[in-house]
Amino acid sequence: MTRALVRMPRALSIALVYVTARAVTALMLVAAASASTAGSRFGAAATVGDLSLGWDAQWYWYIAVNGYPSTLPTTAQGVGENAWAFMPLYAWASNAVGSLFGSWGVGAVIVSLLCGYLACLVLFRLLAPRTGRIAAFWAVVFFAAGPLGALFQVGYAESAFLLLLFLGLDALVRRRYGLLYAIIPVMGFVRPGVLAFALMLGLVLALRWWRRRTDPLSSREIVHFFALGALAVAVGFAWQVIAGIVTGDPGAYLETELAWRRNWSTGETTGFLPFEGWVSAAQFWFAFWGLPPWLGVVVLVLLVAGFGGVLLRGPGVRRLGPELRLWSASYALYLLAVFFPQSSTLRLLVPLSPLWGAVAAPRGSARATRMLRVGVLALGLALQWLWIWNVYAMGDTFWRVP
């Protein structure tokens, strides 16, 4: 059956996969809405529409309607949670589409659904030359029906960011650098993460320089890498500058991000220190689970080392090519530098989705490969339901926030 689907026009076969995955997710959301109680964030009479426009979607709606505050809200602990933590383009695009239907929420869901489908198409195009068409097709299946599949049909910016990210990676791999001058600025104002793209560009340039005898690196390409890297860095810091100018507080953006971190920290949050968040979070979570905090740091080190080992020598990973592996390393390093791991961690890992290509790679016999792929799909759907159940049906405590 897989071979028959792969032989179809790509847009049609992936549409069949995507629509099926979205129908399954919709059933899960219906079940979650029905199970919602008075103790949930959404109440006992929740609808799928409530769930689709809950949590961060409320912030995007606020931005579309009210814009950004010129005065930062404050609490007893410092700057409070506010809209500056969220980039504007998804909110504005949803507003433009929603104006056709008289509803921002309808526009948000349409933008997420459409961007998710297009991201599937680009992911297949990105992976097929490296993994083969069948493995690339299965990678799209895992991507569309995976643990965070619900993000493709709720008011979150992830699917729009993923579309732009995959387009950017595809342009880089095909060495169509001109497209990146348009993609990078848009990507940078949809969701944070463009600084990781800047790091990847630097690493790819270093690798190309190292391999220049077997893979010639022209002066024109070097200029492109430097220019695109500078552009990505400028875009990556531009939002901090804009927030500082509008509010009159140079630290407005970082202080806003720290407002969310205070909800998870047992001590005083005095400022941003790169890489400190993961160490603090490891200790926080292990203490929360009744385990020695130092053990959390040990586990963190093992996880980082294990991930690095997978990128270097993991089964199926090497065939993804240097650009996708360097993107995965760059984004992981970016998260280590800026993020405080909490309930949103799984959602923040979605930009690593090109690694589905390694998961979908053949393993041993055809039967073993088929069993593995079916097992991964089943596990992905089970985890998706577990995620939806916790953050939408339950949504009653601090660790059930998407």
Side-chain angles (χ1 to χ4, degrees):
M1 182 177 178
T2 303
R3 293 184 183 277
L5 286 170
V6 171
R7 292 192 192 101
M8 291 182 181
R10 185 193 312 166
L12 176 59
S13 62
I14 290 179
L16 290 173
V17 168
Y18 189 70
V19 170
T20 302
R22 301 287 61 79
V24 172
T25 298
L27 292 175
M28 292 181 183
L29 290 172
V30 168
S34 300
S36 182
T37 66
S40 166
R41 177 185 180 92
F42 300 97
T47 66
V48 172
D50 295 330
L51 272 53
S52 299
L53 301 179
W55 298 114
D56 285 2
Q58 291 295 301
W59 285 108
Y60 289 115
W61 168 82
Y62 181 92
I63 292 165
V65 174
N66 301 299
Y68 292 88
S70 58
T71 301
L72 295 175
T74 57
T75 68
Q77 289 75 38
V79 172
E81 298 175 0
N82 67 85
W84 283 109
F86 301 89
M87 305 300 179
L89 289 189
Y90 174 76
W92 294 346
S94 299
N95 197 44
V97 175
S99 65
L100 303 175
F101 302 91
S103 168
W104 181 88
V106 171
V109 172
I110 289 174
V111 170
S112 292
L113 283 169
L114 180 59
C115 287
Y117 168 63
L118 294 175
C120 288
L121 286 174
V122 182
L123 181 62
F124 180 88
R125 172 185 166 93
L126 185 62
L127 293 176
R130 291 154 188 81
T131 66
R133 292 172 61 85
I134 292 178
F137 183 82
W138 273 101
V140 170
V141 171
F142 300 154
F143 175 64
L148 278 295
L151 291 175
F152 296 123
Q153 57 205 79
V154 298
Y156 272 64
E158 264 70 12
S159 58
F161 180 83
L162 289 168
L163 170 60
L164 292 161
L165 170 63
F166 295 166
L167 286 170
L169 291 172
D170 186 65
L172 177 65
V173 166
R174 296 173 186 274
R175 301 182 181 178
R176 300 181 65 182
Y177 304 111
L179 294 175
L180 287 170
Y181 290 98
I183 293 169
I184 287 173
V186 180
M187 178 168 58
F189 287 98
V190 168
R191 183 185 168 282
V194 74
L195 288 175
F197 203 88
L199 174 59
M200 178 204 60
L201 288 171
L203 294 176
V204 171
L205 173 60
L207 181 65
R208 291 285 310 280
W209 176 262
W210 178 261
R211 296 178 173 178
R212 65 190 183 279
R213 291 184 179 177
T214 56
D215 183 10
L217 177 66
S218 68
S219 299
R220 178 174 173 273
E221 285 186 289
I222 293 174
V223 170
H224 275 307
F225 272 106
F226 274 100
L228 289 168
L231 176 63
V233 170
V235 170
F237 285 104
W239 193 241
Q240 296 185 37
V241 175
I242 293 170
I245 292 172
V246 173
T247 63
D249 181 350
Y253 176 73
L254 288 179
E255 291 169 12
T256 296
E257 290 289 355
L258 290 174
W260 266 268
R261 185 177 296 192
R262 292 188 191 100
N263 295 330
W264 301 87
S265 176
T266 56
E268 182 181 358
T269 304
T270 56
F272 170 74
L273 183 64
F275 300 102
E276 181 273 336
W278 283 80
V279 176
S280 296
Q283 297 175 80
F284 170 87
W285 282 110
F286 272 69
F288 178 76
W289 295 327
L291 298 171
W294 61 265
L295 184 59
V297 179
V298 172
V299 171
L300 173 62
V301 172
L302 292 176
L303 286 174
V304 172
F307 184 75
V310 167
L311 290 183
L312 286 172
R313 307 187 65 85
V317 176
R318 293 180 66 87
R319 70 173 60 188
L320 295 180
E323 294 88 355
L324 299 188
R325 294 164 67 200
L326 288 174
W327 160 253
S328 300
S330 299
Y331 186 71
L333 185 62
Y334 167 78
L335 286 185
L336 283 172
V338 306
F339 186 55
F340 184 95
Q342 26 84 355
S343 61
S344 298
T345 301
L346 289 176
R347 178 168 59 84
L348 272 292
L349 294 176
V350 172
L352 294 173
S353 291
L355 292 177
W356 282 123
V359 178
R363 299 283 195 279
S365 66
R367 183 172 182 272
T369 297
R370 183 168 58 252
M371 291 179 63
L372 174 65
R373 287 168 175 169
V374 172
V376 170
L377 175 58
L379 179 61
L381 289 170
L383 291 175
Q384 183 181 160
W385 168 243
L386 184 63
W387 190 78
I388 289 174
W389 171 262
N390 275 283
V391 303
Y392 289 119
M394 302 300 290
D396 57 357
T397 187
F398 69 97
W399 55 269
R400 284 177 166 146
V401 178

